[in-house]
């Protein structure tokens, strides 16, 4: 995952190919919930306005089933930088 202008100049998280994403409306997110909710629809990325600070979202690899749960700490639409916290899970 990286960041870029998001096509609108306001910033976005650019997602790896073959990745499913789920943006949680809740203040917590488990790997199981991510696995159940992640959309297999192609996604360019997650725009900063979709995931403001304190938002949780997750990525699921279609190839391996590995899951990353990301908490957005801070974003900067001036230089498209972001500060995040990351938890990583591998399927058993």
């Amino acid at each position: 995952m990286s960041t870029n202008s998001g096509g609108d100049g306001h910033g976005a998280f650019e997602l790896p190919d073959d990745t499913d994403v789920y943006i949680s409306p809740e203040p917590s997110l488990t790997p199981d919930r991510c696995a159940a909710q992640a959309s297999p629809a192609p996604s360019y990325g997650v725009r900063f306005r979709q995931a403001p600070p304190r938002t949780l979202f997750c990525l699921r690899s279609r190839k391996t089933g590995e899951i990353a749960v990301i908490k957005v700490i801070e974003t900067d639409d001036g230089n498209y930088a972001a500060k995040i916290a990351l938890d990583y899970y591998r399927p058993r």
Side-chain angles (χ1 to χ4, degrees), residues 38-73:
S39 171
S43 178
Y44 164 76
V46 175
R47 292 190 179 347
F48 286 176
R49 69 175 178 262
Q50 292 175 288
R54 294 187 303 273
T55 298
L56 292 167
F57 69 96
C58 65
L59 306 177
R60 179 183 60 197
S61 169
R62 290 182 199 151
K63 293 179 182 178
T64 65
E66 294 169 328
I67 292 175
V69 176
I70 295 121
K71 180 177 183 177
V72 179
I73 307 296

Side-chain angles (χ1 to χ4, degrees), residues 10-40:
H10 295 291
F13 297 98
E14 185 175 5
L15 307 181
D17 293 337
D18 296 326
T19 301
D20 301 327
V21 65
Y22 172 66
I23 302 171
S24 178
E26 304 296 323
S28 65
L29 180 60
T30 66
D32 289 337
R33 182 169 171 100
C34 177
Q37 297 293 324
S39 171

